[in-house]
Each structure stands twice: as structure tokens, then as C-alpha cells.
């Protein structure tokens, strides 16, 4: 059974930075990315990266502050989070799929085949 393993979550002060990582087992993935969910709120699209070409897509609330990149290891991506705000506090989930995601479906959780268990990010002073 294929798995996604997230790491790098933790507590950080407002204005600080944190880097999350996600490694997917199994066959080579086409796209990987991140969603997040804060307590009492709906799940939110953070961003994705096409592993072959490196194209990235971001949610409006993180654009310009967060960057998704590919690691040298197969099926591994990073989420660099800068200028963190208290409202970034959430459980961050990694997602992946072995084939294309239709552009109109990019922000839908259900469009991805694999979902991680999540890693907690808390932004607080």
C-alpha cells in the first residue's frame, strides 16, 4: 500500500519560517502538493507541483510566502513557509497522484489519489 509521509511540522513564532517535507512510496508520482485544515474550518488548498516540469500552483492565501519544490529523492517535495502568520496554524496534509489532475480540479482534495496523515503547524508567540 502506497504511503505519504509528512515531516517538519512544529511551533514557530509569527514572521518565522518552517519547511515541511513529504515522501511518497511506490511508483513515480506525477503531481504532489499540500492542503491544510484549521480547527473548525474547511480544508484549504495550499499548492501543488508537477514533478516532471516543476510547474507550481498556489492558493491565494499563501501566494508569495510559500514555495513548493522538488527534492532530489524520488517522489519527495518540500513546502517552504515564510512570513508565517497565526492564521497559517493548521494540520498540513500532503497529497499525490500518479497522473495528471485536470486544471479545474487542482484545488479539490478528491482529485488526488493519495493523502497523508498530516503534520501540525502552529504559529504563535
Amino acid at each position: 500500500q502506497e504511503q505519504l509521509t509528512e515531516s517538519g511540522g512544529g511551533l514557530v513564532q509569527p514572521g518565522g519560517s518552517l519547511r515541511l517535507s513529504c515522501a511518497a512510496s511506490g511508483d513515480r508520482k506525477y503531481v504532489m502538493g499540500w492542503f491544510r485544515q484549521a480547527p473548525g474550518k474547511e480544508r484549504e488548498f495550499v499548492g501543488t507541483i508537477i514533478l516532471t516540469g516543476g510547474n507550481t500552483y498556489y492558493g491565494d492565501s499563501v501566494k508569495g510566502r510559500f514555495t513548493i519544490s522538488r527534492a532530489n529523492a524520488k517522489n519527495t517535495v518540500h513546502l517552504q513557509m515564510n512570513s508565517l502568520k497565526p492564521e497559517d496554524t493548521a494540520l498540513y496534509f500532503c497529497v499525490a497522484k500518479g497522473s495528471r489532475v485536470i486544471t479545474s480540479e487542482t484545488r479539490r482534495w478528491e482529485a488526488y489519489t493519495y493523502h497523508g496523515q498530516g503534520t501540525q503547524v502552529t504559529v504563535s508567540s
Side-chain angles (χ1 to χ4, degrees):
Q1 183 175 351
E2 300 199 11
Q3 290 185 325
L4 301 181
T5 303
E6 302 111 330
S7 61
L11 173 65
V12 62
Q13 292 187 343
S17 297
L18 205 59
R19 190 176 83 158
L20 306 183
S21 297
C22 176
S25 64
D27 294 336
R28 189 168 295 276
K29 302 298 181 282
Y30 181 84
V31 56
M32 295 181 68
W34 298 87
F35 284 73
R36 69 184 183 183
Q37 188 166 20
K41 294 189 176 181
E42 292 187 355
R43 191 180 296 119
E44 179 186 14
F45 171 76
V46 174
T48 56
I49 185 167
I50 307 300
L51 295 185
T52 51
N55 289 351
T56 53
Y57 306 90
Y58 297 99
D60 292 339
S61 62
V62 306
K63 205 173 293 183
R65 299 188 298 123
F66 290 12
T67 302
I68 299 177
S69 61
R70 301 169 291 180
N72 290 331
K74 187 185 84 170
N75 290 347
T76 302
V77 297
H78 303 301
L79 175 65
Q80 178 66 41
M81 305 183 292
N82 299 328
S83 302
L84 282 162
K85 307 174 183 179
E87 50 263 44
D88 294 316
T89 296
L91 191 60
Y92 283 70
F93 298 92
C94 181
V95 297
K97 187 176 180 182
S99 59
R100 294 178 182 271
V101 173
I102 299 172
T103 303
S104 60
E105 298 286 299
T106 299
R107 297 168 183 256
R108 289 188 69 242
W109 172 264
E110 295 79 7
Y112 300 88
T113 309
Y114 307 104
H115 307 89
Q117 295 298 309
T119 184
Q120 178 66 37
V121 171
T122 302
V123 185
S124 175
S125 55

